[in-house]
Amino acid sequence: MTKLKLSHISTGFIAVFIGYASAAAIIFQAANSAGGNEAQIASWFWALGIGMGASTILLSWFYKKPIVTAWSTPGAALLITSLDGLTMNQAIAAFLFSSLLITLVGLAGIVEKVLKQIPTAIAAAMLAGILLQFGLGLFEALVEEGQIVLVMLAMFIVARTWLGNLLVPSIFFVALGLCVATGKLDVSEVTLGLTTPTFIAPDFDFFSLVSVGIPLFIVTMASQNLPGFAVLKANGYQVESSKIITTTGLAGLLLAPFGGFAFNLAAITGAICMGPNADENPKTRYMAGISMGVFYLLAGIMGMSFVSIFSAVPAAVVIAIAGLAVMPTLMNCLSVSMTDSHCREPALFTFLFTASGINLLGIGSAFWGVCLGLTCYWLYNYKASMARASDTSSTQ
């Protein structure tokens, strides 16, 4: 039996804090676009918290690896505009359809075949490109909350040797104390209470299924699940991707009627649970995933109350915490992506395209970065094989 450590609990909490504090507002806007009332919007957060918590605990425990799920933030951003003019019931039907497509893809084993074609260096480069934005955000936060962020950065540099795995949680609580001392912790909107789930009957309309369900499926698979599996691969975790995809799809089918619009593998928060801050031993980091799942469940039970608590912290502090939390993983990914000389240039293209943040056809830059990197990788391999064949024939 693996012993639960304080670093597992603190890492799980920090990951959930970053996820909710940075993206909860997008979920709220998406639910509001569908005309959701206060009870229905709270139910969305209940469904998402319960779904992410249950699936994260189940998968991390079963595989003994930090397999973290999340809501689809790009999917939520898509819903803000695409749900305009639709009823909540039609939106729920689209969520069910998207989750059904995800489940079918998982059962068909398509994802497994695709992931085997991605070299570890390219997967690491894509993750580095995603995490770079958070690393840069740390220094951009200096403009808004200079004194607090400067103290956080100084602690990260100076106190690493003393605090070890508890470095980031310690920085978080120091930053929280500074926010209180300077009057920058806004608790005026904080409310406490439990959330009651609200069942919303689906209204299957062909137009909404096609216009919302299919784009939501594509964005979730390309912009969320692909980076999520890249995180696992870059950190040396081999998993049964098809079974994981099926699990997230089934979670969506069960919880879509309550507002669980999409579940997928996590990239950023997943990377936090897979880093050395969670545990020095990669084989026991799954306990950080389980801890995160427990906090997800708590977030679901409390619904909007949990969101209001995290939203009280200044956005710049949230960004700074995220940047510091992903720093070890970012360093590792940059190292791994440049190690293989045969894959160095394709990995560089992947990293740069992903880091650009360009969105094409509604799909994020991580997907297109991998596409460019793989194209270069296959092209270079083809040229190399042709050159070897030419050398062989000339010597005969």
Side-chain angles (χ1 to χ4, degrees):
M1 181 69 179
T2 302
K3 184 179 179 181
L4 181 65
K5 300 178 181 178
L6 183 58
S7 62
H8 297 149
I9 299 172
S10 61
T11 299
F13 173 78
I14 291 294
V16 171
F17 166 76
I18 291 171
Y20 269 77
S22 61
I26 300 175
I27 307 298
F28 184 88
Q29 291 178 58
N32 197 50
S33 296
N37 55 40
E38 187 175 339
Q40 290 174 332
I41 294 174
S43 184
W44 275 45
F45 283 102
W46 176 89
L48 291 168
I50 296 299
M52 294 185 299
S55 56
T56 296
I57 292 172
L58 175 66
L59 292 169
S60 295
W61 178 260
F62 183 79
Y63 288 105
K64 297 295 185 290
K65 295 169 184 176
I67 302 175
V68 176
T69 62
W71 59 46
S72 175
T73 302
L78 171 74
L79 296 177
I80 292 174
T81 55
S82 60
L83 290 181
D84 189 29
L86 300 182
T87 66
M88 178 65 79
N89 306 84
Q90 291 172 332
I92 295 300
F95 301 163
L96 283 168
F97 182 56
S98 174
S99 294
L100 176 62
L101 293 177
I102 292 172
T103 304
L104 294 176
V105 166
L107 292 172
I110 298 173
V111 178
E112 202 89 44
K113 298 174 183 177
V114 172
L115 292 173
K116 287 181 179 178
Q117 304 301 315
I118 303 177
T120 301
I122 289 180
M126 180 181 69
L127 179 56
I130 296 172
L131 298 182
L132 179 65
Q133 301 302 323
F134 289 83
L136 295 175
L138 166 65
F139 299 99
E140 292 170 357
L142 281 168
V143 178
E144 295 183 44
E145 300 291 347
Q147 292 180 333
I148 296 176
V149 176
L150 197 60
V151 171
M152 295 167 67
L153 182 59
M155 277 190 67
F156 185 84
I157 296 171
V158 175
R160 169 173 289 279
T161 305
W162 305 330
L163 296 175
N165 292 337
L166 298 179
L167 176 63
V168 174
S170 299
I171 293 174
F172 170 74
F173 285 112
V174 168
L176 205 60
L178 290 173
C179 289
V180 173
T182 56
K184 293 181 178 179
L185 193 68
D186 183 13
V187 295
S188 60
E189 300 297 325
V190 173
T191 57
L192 297 177
L194 303 180
T195 297
T196 302
T198 302
F199 180 83
I200 307 167
D203 177 13
F204 292 95
D205 171 72
F206 179 77
F207 172 77
S208 60
L209 294 181
V210 174
S211 62
V212 178
I214 293 178
L216 179 60
F217 160 73
I218 294 173
V219 167
T220 300
M221 291 298 297
S223 298
Q224 289 290 128
N225 277 323
L226 182 59
F229 282 114
V231 172
L232 286 162
K233 190 167 188 175
N235 284 278
Y237 294 108
Q238 301 297 321
V239 296
E240 297 177 292
S241 55
S242 296
K243 292 182 179 180
I244 293 173
I245 290 292
T246 303
T247 301
T248 60
L250 290 174
L253 289 173
L254 290 172
L255 293 166
F258 301 95
F261 62 92
F263 298 96
N264 46 252
L265 276 180
I268 307 303
T269 52
I272 294 172
C273 288
M274 294 174 208
N277 287 334
D279 197 321
E280 292 296 334
N281 184 1
K283 293 183 179 179
T284 53
R285 289 175 189 167
Y286 73 92
M287 293 300 294
I290 292 176
S291 297
M292 186 175 178
V294 172
F295 283 113
Y296 269 150
L297 292 178
L298 181 62
I301 293 170
M302 294 183 66
M304 289 298 294
S305 297
F306 209 77
V307 175
S308 67
I309 293 171
F310 283 166
S311 298
V313 181
V317 175
V318 176
I319 293 170
I321 283 289
L324 293 172
V326 302
M327 202 69 74
T329 305
L330 175 57
M331 289 188 291
N332 178 66
C333 287
L334 288 171
S335 175
V336 171
S337 64
M338 295 293 111
T339 299
D340 186 355
S341 60
H342 298 291
C343 201
R344 194 167 293 158
E345 193 166 314
L348 179 60
F349 281 129
T350 301
F351 168 71
L352 292 174
F353 202 126
T354 302
S356 72
I358 294 173
N359 189 300
L360 299 175
L361 303 177
I363 300 176
S365 60
F367 173 78
W368 300 114
V370 169
C371 289
L372 176 60
L374 287 177
T375 300
C376 295
Y377 178 73
W378 291 330
L379 181 60
Y380 294 162
N381 279 350
Y382 175 76
K383 287 183 176 179
S385 62
M386 291 297 292
R388 286 193 296 269
S390 177
D391 291 340
T392 302
S393 61
S394 64
T395 55
Q396 291 177 349

